[in-house]
Structures are given as C-alpha cells and as structure tokens.
Amino acid sequence: MERIKTDILVIGAGSGGLSLAAGAVQMGADVVLLEGHRMGGDCLNYGCVPSKALIASAKAAHAQASAEQFGVANAVPQVDYAAVMAHVAGAIAEIAPVDSEERFADLGVRVIRAFGRFVSPTEMQAGDHVISARRIVIATGSSPLVPPIPGLDSVPYLTNETLFDLREKPDHLLIIGGGPVGMEMAQAHRRLGCDVTVIEGERALGKDDPDLVAVVLETLRSEGVEIVENAKAANIRGRAGAIEVETQDGRVFTGSHLLLAVGRKANIDRLNPSAAGIDITRTGIAVNDRLRTSNRRIYAIGDVAGDMQFTHVAAYHANIVIRSMLFALPSRAKATHIPRVTYTDPELAQIGMTETQARAAHGDKVEIVRFDYGENDRAIATRRTTGFIKVMVVRGRPVGVGIVGAEAGELIGLWALVLANRLKMSQVAAMVAPYPTLGEINKRAAGAYFSPRLFDNPVIKRIVGLIQNRVP
C-alpha cells in the first residue's frame, strides 16, 4: 500500500474537478486527482457534449424538412441514425484530449484511476493508495436517477448514460420525465424521424417560467411530440421493442424504447462520508456558502453539492474553492447570477428570478419589460420570430431575465454579466449592438423599459418644448 501526502486531493475528474486541479497545480499546489471511471465526467461522455451534438444533427434534418419558407423546396431528410451517433462519438473524441489523464499529468497533477473511499477525516483510500491531504475537494458529480416504478426492473430502459450507445433508430421513444433533458431528447429524436411520447408526472419544464415554457411546448407539439402532463407512471411492462407505461389514471402508452429522464442523484455511495465526518442531505453533501462541508478541511463542488446541476456551476464552484484554499480569501458562492438554458428549439434561458419569484420578493416594486423576437429585423430575415425576452426590474436594476427564442442561450450571457455586476438598465441601454443581430433584442428590452419614461412623460415634453422655443 503506497501512502501519499499532498496539498489538495480532488475526487472526480468531471468539469469541476478538472477545473480545480488544473488551476491549483498551475498556481503551485501539489495536487492528486482521483477518477474511477471516465475522464471528463458526465458532461463530456454522457451529457452536454453528446446531447448538443445530437441536437445539431436533428437541427440539420429539420432544416431540410422546413426549407420552403426560404424559397427552397422541402426535402424528406434521409437520417442514418448510426452515422448520427458516430458524429456524436466524434465530438466526444475531439474534446477528450483536453480532459485526458495525459494532459493533466503533463500539467503536474498526479492522476490515480481509482474510486476513493474515506478512511479518516483527512485520508482516503483509492486502490493501492492511501492519500492524506491538507484539503480535499469532492467533485464526484451525479448520475441519472432511476425511480422505483413497479415493473421497471423487468424491462430494458435507457438513461443519458446509455442513450448515446444506440445505433438503431427507435421507432417510438417513450420518455418518462419532462425536464430539460427529456424535452431536448424528445425534440431531437422527433426531428430524426422517431415517434416520441413524453410522460411527465406534473408540469413539463416545471421549474421554468410558464410564459416561456408555453412557447417551447407549443413548438414541440406542432412538430409531433406527444407531451402528456400530470401523468405519473404507475407500472411498466413489456419487452425490448414493445414497452408499455401505464399511468396512475389508467392510460397506457406503448413504444419501442424507454428513456428515463426524471432527475439526478449525487454520487456519494462509494465515498463513506461518515468516516470523514461529512453531513449529507437528501440532495447530496451539505455545504455552506463557501462550499465547505461539516469537515472544514473538505469541500464539495458541482452536482454532488446538491444545488444547481450544471457544468458551468461546477466550474464556478471550482473558482470559489481555489480562492479560498490557495489565497485564504473569503469567497462565497451565490446563485443569483447563474444562467440556465434548455437547448430545445426555440431555446429557453433564464437567470435570476422568474416573474413569480420577483413579484413574491418585491411586490409592486417589480416592473416587467418584454420585447418580442417578431420585432427584431434579424429574426424576421431568418424566419426565427418565435419568442420573446422578459426582464424583471426593481428600481432600475434587473433581478431576473427570461428569454425564449432562437439562440436564447447566447443572449442570456449579457444578462449574466449585468446581474453579476449589479448593473442597471441604463447601462444596457447605453450599449451599441451591431445591426442586424439577435443581440439587439437585449438592447431593445432596455429601451422598452425607458420608453414610457421618455415618451409619455409630460415634464420631458415641456422641457423639450422650452428648449426648442429658445433655440434660434
């Protein structure tokens, strides 16, 4: 058994763990990184990268089928599902070297390919190694949640960890779960020629603003996706190629394949957290706003910390912890400036408070500003006029923004800057956006906030009139 002493032990080579290990070692810390599965974690291998690659293929197919609006004849796309999945695998392979063991070893990180288990508050065993560290960071991520639905253990099912291994196109994909993953995969597979049924126990995209969600659901339904809400799965039966999902109200939905997309669970089972004095909650490891666990030497970041489960949040957490561990700065994590995007078409992006949350927190001090894509010249030219932006403003400062429409995930970036730095609507209005771009939508939203103050204000009109009368 080899005993290792290090400054920082990072458990998990996903987005958060890799960001932290790379940053810490390049700033002079001695770093050991543990990974018992695939380098790059869920994002590279099963999540963000493969899903967006699949969505790109689906968008290409949809473009062929809907070209008539541009004066080009519609064509029935000839989808080679195996080739689509080869494209997905190719995207993963192209990015993989950035997350590879070799790259991190070259940076100076000692990479140990084994799962770790706490044996004391400062030590972890991983394979034939016992590692003690001044600071330990848990970045083990999350895995797809498999719900205890009767019959599920007797039928084949897919999760995001197995979906991209398919090479034959599903005839009819049943999806249990109408969250972001479920809706993204529903639309992508429908555009690739599959029949798709989404079965959601409550409201589809239930964590998002209903006004924005309505636009997404209307689009998906118009493309042929069957979305069944308020339908809890009660029983599953059948066999490969013929699977039935029965809901609590007695309805039965039949398909060839079943995808589970009902949420995630934190990866803590292997860690033996009690040996390190680490408290856990229903959603993961308990941390304070500095991302410290109940053992002050140990931090938890990303999905395993049980809050917003996004790759960019894990990377943000890594930066917070680096500042704390290496520079002893009182760095605290917050969520008010974290954007979130569902990559359907149209995309749905939000940051900060929804309208409901803003009204609950600020009452009649909230002003709601909207601007429609249909009034943007670039959206008109490219036939992408579906959608709108909604900004929640309190005393001149935005407290939340929701966008549904083309490239909403790109447009929300400006508002991430605004909320992170507590900028005002006047500073957004002062921006000059290139014409014609979808980015003008952000500036026009700020203009919509000021328009009634300028154009419907009798004092302003009186001042302008006086000045004009005095100017020769």
Side-chain angles (χ1 to χ4, degrees), residues 4 18 79 83 99 135 173 242 264 317 353 356 399 428:
I4 303 170
L18 293 177
V79 175
D99 295 348
R135 296 287 184 268
L173 181 62
R264 316 271 307 166
H317 282 178
M353 296 181 179
T356 299
V399 297
V428 178

Side-chain angles (χ1 to χ4, degrees), residues 244-278:
E244 293 184 349
V245 176
E246 182 177 357
T247 57
Q248 287 182 350
D249 58 10
R251 286 178 290 176
V252 176
F253 302 90
T254 302
S256 61
H257 293 70
L258 174 63
L259 171 64
L260 301 180
V262 295
R264 316 271 307 166
K265 64 174 182 178
N267 291 331
I268 58 176
D269 294 344
R270 300 176 187 267
L271 293 175
N272 191 27
S274 61
I278 297 172

